Amino acid sequence: MSLTDKGADDDSAVVLGPPGTRRSTALVLLVSSHFLLNMDSAIIEVAVPTIKEQLGFSVSSLSWVANSYILTFGGFLLLGGRLGDVLGSRKVFTGGLVAFALASLLGGLASSPEVMILARGAQGLAAAVVSPTALSLLVGLFPDRTAAERAQRHKALGTLGAVAAVGGSAGYFLGGLLTDLVGWEATFLVNVPAALALACFSQRLLPPDAGGTGWARVDFVSAVGASLGMTLLVYALVGSEPSNLLSTWTCGLALVSLTLLLFVVARQNRSADPLFPLRILRVREVRGANLVAALINMAIGPVIFFLSLYIQQVLDFDPLAAGLAILPIVAAITVSSRLTGSLLARFGVRTVMICGLSLFSAGLLWLGAMSGAAYWAEVLGPELVIGFGGGLVFVTFTVCGTSGLEARDAGAASGLLTTSQKVGSALGLALLSTVAATFNRDTELAGLTDGYRAAILAATLPVLAAVAVSGSWLPRRERR
């Protein structure tokens, strides 16, 4: 029996989703959306130097090609995740893809820095809707009521993590190829047909929405407060120079953002339909999963960023070769993500998480011994260890962060988990950039190596903190 054969008021229809082949094709659609978002983030990074020259960006304003995306993405994730619960996940997911296509079209047609920054902000806003809603839909399609169902969910989450990692890697190659052969505009325009095709297929492949509370019960005050608070927090982290991270201006912005977020939290207990149901945080492993997600992302994103710079500036690889040199991390994440489901079933959540974090920290310590010698001797081995440990961690915290919850809270939980990752990444990059700048005594190769090595070694601290959190907050076995 298909989902549409069940009554609209049958709750199991919403949870079970389409059976067999139809559920598999729905999974392909959802992981493709994550592939597209991750590919877009990487593809633009490769095109940034050309965009700077042709649109006339100043050195100081060029960072906003990335920062405008990060601001809106991180700022609206909580709202984006909750909209799926309120208005219907399929409707919101489809609308987000259409908005992403339109924003990409605007970016491809941009003729000035102002339009480019606006387009990137619009892309981030659309991604803030698509990303958590896709995760929420996947959780709904793969319930976890029995051991067999949990194994299927773990496999689906592993597939999502693996494909997302491959998308980021593909972006580096495709970005260089399109920029060289067609122009930087193609790095935006390639998203348009892809996003529109996914939007069209979503209407056929995803289960119909069971209905939501609608706009009438949306707490707009909390929505505005949460979005503004998160935006200010991310801006305080990514908009400051490393040397000004503790300045009065940055600390003041962070204080205002935290005040707004505390105000939103205080409103949730009084709201008939809260933007973020606080009952989610009563689940101990959900709190632990989000804290681990933030801590591990303080390390992984910045480490790849510094490693890319090290490979290009110290080892003298060109951009395309540097993209290839990062590929082993992606390959190892892909392999371990696919293995995590069976490991969770056999050894349990806590054991797999701690093993993954231990491998990750060991890889960082190994990489932190780099001295400017050959890539094959000093970088390849640590990359494989970091990637394999990272894949175990990413799937495990996603399982913990979305398990043991009511179906009506799936979107909010997914939005919270994605928000934790983005805020952790922004905070990690800000802090580790300060470390790198402090130890970069000069622009000579030895000075650059010292800075990047110090930043990578410092990245082990949040990973070790995540080990402590896992040991005390995560259960031995997944909560049903």
Side-chain angles (χ1 to χ4, degrees):
M1 179 182 294
S2 70
L3 180 71
T4 53
D5 293 331
K6 294 180 178 286
D9 57 349
D10 185 351
D11 290 340
S12 64
V14 179
V15 177
L16 286 175
T21 303
R22 188 178 172 193
R23 186 165 69 169
S24 298
T25 53
L27 175 62
V28 170
L29 172 69
L30 295 175
V31 299
S32 296
S33 69
H34 271 249
F35 178 93
L36 178 64
L37 296 181
N38 281 271
M39 183 189 74
D40 176 71
S41 296
I43 205 172
I44 300 303
E45 290 183 16
V46 178
V48 162
T50 306
I51 291 173
K52 175 182 180 296
E53 293 178 4
Q54 296 191 9
L55 293 188
F57 272 92
S58 65
V59 174
S60 59
S61 65
L62 185 62
S63 63
W64 286 101
V65 175
N67 288 349
S68 57
Y69 180 92
I70 296 171
L71 274 179
T72 51
F73 191 13
F76 287 86
L77 271 168
L78 286 176
L79 178 59
R82 192 56 175 166
L83 283 180
D85 298 331
V86 173
L87 302 178
S89 295
R90 186 175 74 173
K91 182 188 303 181
V92 171
F93 178 75
T94 304
L97 286 169
V98 173
F100 188 79
L102 294 175
S104 298
L105 179 62
L106 179 63
L109 300 177
S111 58
S112 67
E114 293 77 14
V115 176
M116 172 60 68
I117 292 173
L118 176 63
R120 288 292 285 157
Q123 278 188 316
L125 187 60
V129 172
V130 173
S131 181
T133 309
L135 182 56
S136 174
L137 284 163
L138 185 148
V139 169
L141 288 169
F142 294 87
D144 61 348
R145 297 168 301 188
T146 67
E149 288 178 338
R150 284 196 295 277
Q152 289 296 314
R153 176 186 282 192
H154 296 166
K155 184 177 180 180
L157 290 171
T159 302
L160 182 71
V163 171
V166 172
S169 178
Y172 286 107
F173 307 131
L174 190 57
L177 188 64
L178 290 176
T179 302
D180 288 341
L181 298 181
V182 183
W184 65 264
E185 296 88 348
T187 62
F188 284 89
L189 298 178
V190 70
N191 296 326
V192 178
L196 291 178
L198 291 175
C200 291
F201 281 117
S202 69
Q203 294 300 301
R204 298 182 58 187
L205 299 178
L206 297 177
D209 295 323
T213 57
W215 288 110
R217 296 185 63 189
V218 174
D219 184 356
F220 284 104
V221 174
S222 293
V224 172
S227 299
L228 183 59
M230 288 302 304
T231 301
L232 287 175
L233 179 60
V234 176
Y235 176 75
L237 296 176
V238 304
S240 302
E241 294 293 329
S243 59
N244 293 328
L245 191 60
L246 297 179
S247 67
T248 303
W249 170 252
T250 302
C251 292
L253 281 178
L255 181 61
V256 172
S257 72
L258 292 175
T259 302
L260 282 170
L261 292 174
L262 288 174
F263 165 74
V264 171
V265 170
R267 282 184 59 89
Q268 301 312 292
N269 285 325
R270 303 193 304 269
S271 176
D273 192 4
L275 173 70
F276 182 78
L278 295 181
R279 58 181 172 268
I280 294 174
L281 294 179
R282 297 191 186 105
V283 182
R284 185 181 181 89
E285 51 263 47
V286 169
R287 299 197 302 270
N290 277 274
L291 188 51
V292 170
L295 289 169
I296 193 68
N297 276 276
M298 287 179 65
I300 184 63
V303 164
I304 292 178
F305 173 74
F306 292 123
L307 183 58
S308 177
L309 292 176
Y310 171 78
I311 290 171
Q312 292 183 67
Q313 295 178 349
V314 178
L315 301 186
D316 199 27
F317 283 36
D318 62 45
L320 184 58
L324 286 169
I326 298 295
L327 186 59
I329 293 182
V330 179
I333 290 175
T334 303
V335 172
S336 62
S337 294
R338 296 291 291 165
L339 295 174
T340 305
S342 58
L343 293 175
L344 287 172
R346 183 172 182 180
F347 299 106
V349 167
R350 187 186 301 171
T351 300
V352 174
M353 179 70 86
I354 291 177
C355 286
L357 290 168
S358 299
L359 284 171
F360 194 96
S361 58
L364 291 179
L365 290 173
W366 186 4
L367 185 61
M370 59 192 187
S371 61
Y375 166 83
W376 307 103
E378 291 189 342
V379 178
L380 178 59
E383 283 185 328
L384 294 173
V385 176
I386 290 170
F388 195 88
L392 297 178
V393 174
F394 298 147
V395 175
T396 304
F397 73 59
T398 304
V399 167
C400 289
T402 55
S403 298
L405 300 172
E406 300 176 41
R408 58 179 172 155
D409 295 330
S414 301
L416 176 63
L417 193 61
T418 312
T419 300
S420 298
Q421 296 178 65
K422 297 305 176 184
V423 171
S425 182
L427 178 59
L429 185 57
L431 293 174
L432 295 180
S433 293
T434 302
V435 173
T438 301
F439 284 85
N440 270 350
R441 298 185 304 273
D442 50 55
T443 58
E444 298 297 325
L445 295 185
L448 292 173
T449 301
D450 287 344
Y452 297 144
R453 182 170 55 229
I456 290 170
L457 289 173
T460 60
L461 297 178
V463 180
L464 294 175
V467 173
V469 171
S470 301
S472 57
W473 282 29
L474 296 187
R476 294 186 182 275
R477 295 286 171 182
E478 178 187 352
R479 174 175 173 173
R480 293 179 58 181

